[in-house]
Amino acid sequence: MNGNDIGKGLRKNSMFIAAMGILLVMLILVLGSIWIGRSAKADSEDAVTTVSHLYLNELAGRREQVVEANLQQRIDDMNTALDLMTGDDLSSVENLQNYQDKMRQYFGLEKFAFVNEDGKIYTADGIKNDIEEYDVDFFSLKDVSISIKNLKTKDKKVVIAQPVSRSVDGNKLIACYEEIYMDEMLQGISMDAQESDATFSNLYTNDGVALTNSILGGLAVEDNLIEALSRADYDKGYSYDKVLEEFENLERGEVSFTYDDIHETLSYVPVEGTNWMLTYLIRESVISDKISYVSDGIIFRSIIQSIVTVLVLLLIFGFIFVQNRRSMQLLVEKETAAAEAKAKQEELDFRIETQKKLEEQSRALSDALNVAEKASKAKTAFLSNMSHEIRTPMNAIIALDNIAINDPETPEKTREYLEKIGGSAEHLLNLINDILDMSRIESGKLTLKNEAFSFQKLLEGINTMFSSQCVDKDIDYQCHINGHVDDHYIGDSMKLKQVLINILGNAVKFTPEGGSVSLNVEKKASFDGKTTLQFAITDTGIGMSKDFLPHIFDAFAQEDSSTTSKYGSSGLGLAITKNIVEMMNGTIDVESEKGKGTTFTVAVTLMDDTRKAYGETENFDPQEMSVLIIDDDPVACEHAKLVLEKVGISAEVAESGKQALEMVSLRQTRRDPYNLILVDWKMPEMDGIETTRRIREIVHDDSAIIILTAYSWDDVMEEATGAGVDSFLAKPLFAATVIDEFKAAVSRKIESESEQAGKAELAGRHVLLAEDVAINAEIMIMVLQSRDMTADLAENGRIAVEKFASSEPGYYSAVLMDIRMPEMDGLEATRKIREMDRPDAAGIPIIALTANAFDEDVQRSMQAGLNAHLSKPVQPDVLFETLESLIKE
């Protein structure tokens, strides 16, 4: 036998072995697919049964709680209505009918009736004699009874009856009842089948009569559930007798059975106070059939995939056997080795060359970075110097303008010019602040704080600012909170306030007279100690075109250059706003249409404040409070009620002053006055002040009254106080604010006296003023003299240190220190004063009056020992408040 024959024999054996291997692989793939599919089907059906039992108990229990709550609410409404009944209501049948009509309006008691000892029924529409239609023994009634009227018809009604002891027109009333349609009673709970026709919910009496829907989800032909279950085949561990016993005894349970070849699981729960059983049914056969269909599809596709795989293997093996020549393999291996060696050498050369280029680029980038850092430092230094140089004369301009305006001898015409000068100076100052903010952002020096802050005070400040602006411009301003928003969060409140002020300022600026601006706040998500808040600012202003929207956040962007001269703008506000929002990991979007208005949507995430919630203090129990909310806006009423009930405060609502007077009179007559009454200022027919005046005539001093308003209340404070108002609150409402103002209204006089005692008297005080610019020093001395204070001037830091050292301890009450001065700057002078060995050196207030407005300037001031940092131009009121709070006796 030659070599060729041996080779052929070897190839035949190889082909046979390969063919057998392919057949074996195909058999394993097909059988494995069938086995896996059937196993998955069986496991899925077991899982369906297990999950059904767990799911049913949970769903049935929840719906049972809703039904019980609805019944209890109806019973509570009847009891409240009975408590409100007076002797006058029982003086005649007509008065009784008027009383029943009021209860229908107040509590929704549509069919609220009374039964006398003769079996006559007194309704709001007249006296009836149809007592035999009710399945209730009114004459022996001892407690609340719940029954069904028209049980055999589709027009089923729930009858809630209870005994009473009253007399009307000489006839003794022995019982009262309320008749409620079944659909109304089941409000808030769905009894409809799911879209999959796999789950059903129903109510039955304990003898199997259905109160809603059909029997077993429409599968049963019987008219009674107990009768239908007698034909079912039960799973192991369940029986018909057990179901019958649990229904008769009103006991909770579950059962699995097969009815008409369909496997189902039924869970049932008794409804407390009734002979009803609430059921929840899962038709497992529907789910199992779908699982079987999916499993069969998986098996079929797996078999097809196995066949395709075997065919591919056959093709591969056939190709390999045709090319199976030893000489070709050796040649291919040799060429492959050579090619790989060449490729590796080329790759190595490429890497070496790339490494050289990267090193050169790295050196170039490093040089560029050094240049950029130097340029950034130079830019920061330039802006800091420019800020100081610009703010120094600005301080003089604004201060002198303010002094001249307040001078009673200034002519009216000159006063108009001065007001225009002041407005222009303030506008220039805002432009400087925008440029400095943009510089901080570009240099990466703008940082965010994480501090606890009062969200309600932030919103109150914004609303107070813009509501007055909108009133002056005849623009309707509204602020609403959708859902519950906490009173406190942790974040940078100043930056968040800057964002909202920038957007709202533009909205007011670009909205013409008669338009509207709204701010809507909504909590979108809360997770892991963080909350996402969304702010939507909408206006009816001039709007923007679709083409300009992509460029709205660019620096110095203006759609129409004429708006700059008409409205005045630096073009940096929205660019700054977007950068701040992005630093807070938030988003900002805008929608606008030319001539119709604009909507900005800002979403930011803040950390939750875990401080003790309001209403949980030891000395204050909100559950003991009773509050009446008076507002003609239903949305505002609903929000206020939601906010108060969130912390346990009971609240009622009146949508007009007239309705409020009726409710207050009713409570006062019962000697159960409201603890607190919140009254909206702007209401039609009878405004908040007139409503307050009339309420005071009823309640006297029994209730605290607070005015709610989105406007500034300064103009009406005197009139409102005279009408009996205890305090004012800005919309929207926060629970913390209500509680704080309620406490403040009770002890207003004591708190006012305490506050005045905590402020230092400024008259007669001596102050050391360090200022190298003569005009600024002269202005500051004039400002201090307006409060009967005297100032000693030091032209630089060295002189300030010498004058303080030579003075008697306690002679100076404070030091006003400029930062940039010749010979010795303010920071060094402050350090030397603090280091002196004298009793007043460490405690004397030293306040920076400087044009340096950067955050790092403030930090350096604090590190040097200054107590406060006021940026020029300094507002006199801010200076006086600072002195009053820092000076100690």
Side-chain angles (χ1 to χ4, degrees):
M1 184 177 294
N2 57 28
N4 289 333
D5 294 334
I6 294 174
K8 289 180 180 179
L10 290 173
R11 282 195 293 274
K12 287 181 179 180
N13 291 335
S14 299
M15 290 290 290
F16 177 78
I17 293 172
M20 294 302 296
I22 291 172
L23 290 175
L24 181 60
V25 170
M26 180 177 179
L27 184 62
I28 291 173
L29 289 174
V30 173
L31 293 178
S33 298
I34 295 174
W35 175 73
I36 291 173
R38 291 182 177 177
S39 297
K41 176 181 176 182
D43 293 339
S44 299
E45 290 176 349
D46 290 341
V48 168
T49 301
T50 302
V51 173
S52 296
H53 286 268
L54 297 174
Y55 187 61
L56 280 175
N57 287 330
E58 177 66 14
L59 288 180
R62 289 185 180 180
R63 280 173 162 76
E64 175 263 340
Q65 292 172 4
V66 175
V67 175
E68 288 182 359
N70 289 346
L71 288 171
Q72 187 59 47
Q73 181 63 46
R74 290 291 182 172
I75 294 172
D76 292 342
D77 290 346
M78 288 178 62
N79 289 331
T80 303
L82 290 173
D83 292 340
L84 293 175
M85 178 179 282
T86 63
D88 184 62
D89 296 329
L90 296 170
S91 61
S92 67
V93 175
E94 182 180 0
N95 286 352
L96 178 61
Q97 290 176 345
N98 291 336
Y99 158 79
Q100 289 172 302
D101 188 64
K102 288 181 180 179
M103 296 305 102
R104 177 188 300 169
Q105 297 177 11
Y106 289 165
F107 302 104
L109 301 177
E110 295 296 331
K111 296 189 177 182
F112 182 43
F114 293 84
V115 180
N116 72 2
E117 59 187 358
D118 296 328
K120 293 183 179 181
I121 299 176
Y122 292 79
T123 71
D125 302 319
I127 301 175
K128 299 184 179 180
N129 296 295
D130 56 348
I131 193 170
E132 66 277 1
E133 295 183 8
Y134 296 88
D135 189 17
V136 182
D137 187 0
F138 293 100
F139 303 97
S140 60
L141 199 60
K142 301 298 184 184
D143 202 348
V144 176
S145 171
I146 301 174
S147 60
I148 303 297
K149 182 181 179 183
N150 302 329
L151 183 61
K152 302 299 184 181
T153 68
K154 292 183 178 180
D155 187 24
K156 297 180 180 66
K157 300 177 182 177
V158 178
V159 178
I160 303 176
Q162 61 177 310
V164 298
S165 179
R166 304 281 196 281
S167 294
V168 60
D169 198 20
N171 293 305
K172 183 177 181 181
L173 304 179
I174 62 172
C176 70
Y177 71 90
E178 168 64 3
E179 188 175 319
I180 310 156
Y181 286 100
M182 182 60 69
D183 291 341
E184 184 180 354
M185 173 56 64
L186 298 178
Q187 184 176 5
I189 171 172
S190 174
M191 291 293 179
D192 297 330
Q194 306 298 316
E195 294 181 358
S196 61
D197 291 329
T199 60
F200 305 87
S201 184
N202 208 341
L203 272 174
Y204 299 92
T205 62
N206 65 336
D207 54 359
V209 178
L211 300 184
T212 62
N213 297 336
S214 54
I215 309 298
L216 294 181
L219 182 64
V221 296
E222 293 82 356
D223 295 328
N224 187 287
L225 175 64
I226 302 300
E227 295 177 5
L229 291 178
S230 66
R231 293 183 52 243
D233 295 324
Y234 293 85
D235 291 0
K236 184 178 180 181
Y238 302 99
S239 67
Y240 171 76
D241 293 336
K242 182 180 179 183
V243 176
L244 182 61
E245 179 183 358
E246 290 176 339
F247 257 72
E248 289 177 351
N249 297 329
L250 294 174
E251 296 177 357
R252 182 173 185 153
E254 62 181 24
V255 62
S256 293
F257 57 89
T258 301
Y259 184 94
D260 281 356
D261 297 328
I262 295 178
H263 191 262
E264 299 176 315
T265 296
L266 179 72
S267 180
Y268 42 90
V269 180
V271 179
E272 185 177 354
T274 70
N275 66 336
W276 304 348
M277 297 291 281
L278 189 145
T279 67
Y280 210 94
L281 177 74
I282 288 185
R283 193 162 288 167
E284 295 182 17
S285 296
V286 175
I287 302 174
S288 298
D289 290 342
K290 293 182 179 180
I291 292 175
S292 297
Y293 176 79
V294 173
S295 299
D296 292 339
I298 293 173
I299 294 172
F300 176 77
R301 288 189 291 272
S302 298
I303 293 174
I304 295 300
Q305 182 181 5
S306 299
I307 295 173
V308 171
T309 302
V310 171
L311 292 175
V312 172
L313 289 174
L314 286 173
L315 290 174
I316 293 173
F317 277 117
F319 177 79
I320 291 174
F321 281 119
V322 170
Q323 301 296 327
N324 192 15
R325 293 182 181 180
R326 183 62 178 173
S327 58
M328 291 297 295
Q329 288 178 350
L330 293 174
L331 180 61
V332 169
E333 289 175 359
K334 182 178 179 180
E335 292 177 351
T336 301
E340 288 178 353
K342 183 179 180 181
K344 288 181 179 180
Q345 184 61 41
E346 291 177 352
E347 183 181 359
L348 182 59
D349 295 340
F350 176 76
R351 287 184 177 181
I352 293 173
E353 186 65 25
T354 302
Q355 183 67 27
K356 292 180 180 179
K357 291 182 179 179
L358 288 175
E359 290 177 354
E360 293 176 357
Q361 291 178 357
S362 177
R363 286 193 294 270
L365 288 174
S366 178
D367 294 340
L369 179 61
N370 291 332
V371 173
E373 289 177 348
K374 292 179 180 178
S376 177
K377 291 180 180 179
K379 177 182 176 182
T380 302
F382 170 76
L383 288 173
S384 179
N385 290 329
M386 288 303 298
S387 170
H388 183 274
E389 296 303 323
I390 294 175
R391 286 174 181 270
T392 298
M394 285 291 295
N395 179 63
I397 294 172
I398 293 178
L400 286 174
D401 182 75
N402 187 39
I403 292 172
I405 288 177
N406 290 284
D407 188 346
E409 297 181 1
T410 301
E412 188 62 31
K413 191 67 175 179
T414 304
R415 194 183 305 275
E416 292 179 6
Y417 295 150
L418 291 171
E419 289 176 352
K420 292 179 180 179
I421 292 173
S424 298
E426 291 291 342
H427 179 64
L428 179 58
L429 190 61
N430 290 333
L431 294 179
I432 295 170
N433 290 335
D434 284 347
I435 293 172
L436 292 177
D437 281 343
M438 202 65 195
S439 173
R440 291 191 189 99
I441 291 171
E442 291 177 350
S443 63
K445 293 183 178 293
L446 187 67
T447 57
L448 296 179
K449 300 177 182 177
N450 277 322
E451 299 175 342
F453 67 93
S454 170
F455 184 74
Q456 57 93 3
K457 289 185 179 178
L458 180 145
L459 209 56
E460 179 181 340
I462 290 175
N463 289 337
T464 302
M465 178 188 304
F466 287 102
S467 61
S468 60
Q469 292 183 19
C470 289
V471 168
D472 295 340
K473 200 175 176 182
D474 192 20
I475 295 175
D476 178 44
Y477 176 74
Q478 297 288 335
C479 178
H480 293 291
I481 295 180
N482 301 324
H484 175 68
V485 175
D486 292 338
D487 295 334
H488 293 82
Y489 290 101
I490 296 175
D492 195 325
S493 60
M494 294 302 296
K495 294 296 187 292
L496 179 58
K497 187 174 184 179
Q498 183 178 353
V499 167
L500 297 177
I501 288 176
N502 281 351
I503 299 176
L504 281 168
N506 283 343
V508 175
K509 182 190 301 182
F510 295 114
T511 299
E513 181 179 328
S516 65
V517 175
S518 67
L519 169 61
N520 291 297
V521 185
E522 182 177 2
K523 179 166 75 173
K524 302 299 292 184
S526 183
F527 177 73
D528 195 23
K530 295 183 178 66
T531 295
T532 298
L533 298 180
Q534 178 177 286
F535 303 86
I537 299 96
T538 302
D539 65 69
T540 59
I542 60 176
M544 293 169 283
S545 65
K546 301 297 182 183
D547 295 336
F548 178 69
L549 287 181
H551 307 287
I552 188 173
F553 296 113
D554 295 344
F556 307 107
Q558 294 283 354
E559 181 180 14
D560 184 357
S561 58
S562 63
T563 60
T564 303
S565 57
K566 181 177 180 181
Y567 297 101
S569 174
S570 67
L572 290 174
L574 289 179
I576 294 171
T577 297
K578 186 174 188 299
N579 278 281
I580 293 176
V581 171
E582 290 178 346
M583 287 180 65
M584 302 175 82
N585 294 322
T587 60
I588 180 169
D589 298 304
V590 59
E591 296 179 0
S592 184
E593 187 173 349
K594 196 72 172 178
K596 293 188 176 181
T598 304
T599 296
F600 281 88
T601 304
V602 177
V604 296
T605 300
L606 304 172
M607 289 185 289
D608 296 333
D609 189 359
T610 56
R611 69 176 62 188
K612 189 174 183 181
Y614 282 90
E616 298 178 1
T617 59
E618 296 179 358
N619 300 326
F620 184 79
D621 186 2
Q623 295 182 356
E624 296 180 356
M625 282 192 68
S626 177
V627 179
L628 176 63
I629 304 164
I630 310 172
D631 199 322
D632 62 306
D633 184 355
V635 176
C637 287
E638 185 64 26
H639 169 72
K641 188 175 181 182
L642 174 66
V643 167
L644 294 177
E645 290 179 349
K646 201 73 175 179
V647 295
I649 297 177
S650 173
E652 297 180 7
V653 171
E655 295 187 1
S656 68
K658 181 180 179 182
Q659 182 184 0
L661 291 174
E662 294 178 358
M663 297 174 69
V664 170
S665 298
L666 181 62
R667 291 289 290 262
Q668 193 71 16
T669 302
R670 293 169 56 193
R671 302 310 303 159
D672 184 22
Y674 295 102
N675 301 105
L676 175 62
I677 301 175
L678 303 176
V679 188
D680 183 35
W681 176 19
K682 296 290 187 178
M683 293 190 296
E685 298 182 9
M686 188 187 304
D687 65 13
I689 296 177
E690 180 61 26
T691 301
T692 300
R693 183 178 289 107
R694 297 191 183 184
I695 289 176
R696 274 291 178 224
E697 294 174 356
I698 299 172
V699 302
H700 305 294
D701 294 329
D702 292 342
S703 303
I705 303 178
I706 297 178
I707 287 286
L708 296 177
T709 178
Y711 304 91
S712 173
W713 52 72
D714 295 336
D715 297 336
V716 297
M717 180 175 292
E718 184 176 351
E719 181 184 1
T721 304
V725 174
D726 293 299
S727 185
F728 297 84
L729 276 179
K731 291 184 177 180
L733 202 63
F734 287 85
T737 312
V738 173
I739 294 173
D740 286 345
E741 286 301 323
F742 175 68
K743 293 177 180 178
V746 175
S747 57
R748 182 74 66 186
K749 182 178 180 180
I750 298 175
E751 291 183 0
S752 177
E753 292 175 353
S754 175
E755 180 182 353
Q756 292 299 326
K759 292 183 178 180
E761 177 61 42
L762 298 184
R765 299 281 183 176
H766 298 283
V767 175
L768 177 59
L769 173 63
E771 173 63 68
D772 64 311
V773 180
I775 183 64
N776 284 344
E778 181 181 350
I779 293 170
M780 187 54 61
I781 292 173
M782 294 171 62
V783 170
L784 293 172
Q785 288 175 346
S786 68
R787 291 292 296 270
D788 296 328
M789 302 177 69
T790 59
D792 292 342
L793 177 63
E795 289 78 6
N796 57 50
R798 180 185 57 78
I799 298 175
V801 172
E802 293 174 353
K803 285 195 173 186
F804 182 81
S806 61
S807 67
E808 292 294 328
Y811 176 76
Y812 291 118
S813 298
V815 178
L816 304 181
M817 184 76 71
D818 188 22
I819 299 300
R820 294 195 179 187
M821 294 184 293
E823 294 193 41
M824 182 184 294
D825 63 24
L827 299 180
E828 182 62 25
T830 300
R831 293 190 188 97
K832 289 188 176 296
I833 290 175
R834 292 299 188 206
E835 293 171 355
M836 291 183 183
D837 185 16
R838 50 185 287 165
D840 59 346
I844 186 171
I846 304 179
I847 302 169
L849 304 181
T850 174
N852 296 353
F854 285 93
D855 291 341
E856 51 266 30
D857 296 323
V858 180
Q859 294 173 0
R860 284 195 293 267
S861 297
M862 299 299 103
Q863 292 168 0
L866 284 104
N867 299 93
H869 185 107
L870 303 183
S871 297
K872 294 179 181 179
V874 178
Q875 298 295 330
D877 291 341
V878 176
L879 174 62
F880 295 143
E881 289 178 3
T882 304
L883 289 171
E884 287 174 341
S885 63
L886 292 180
I887 293 176
K888 305 298 181 183
E889 295 297 338

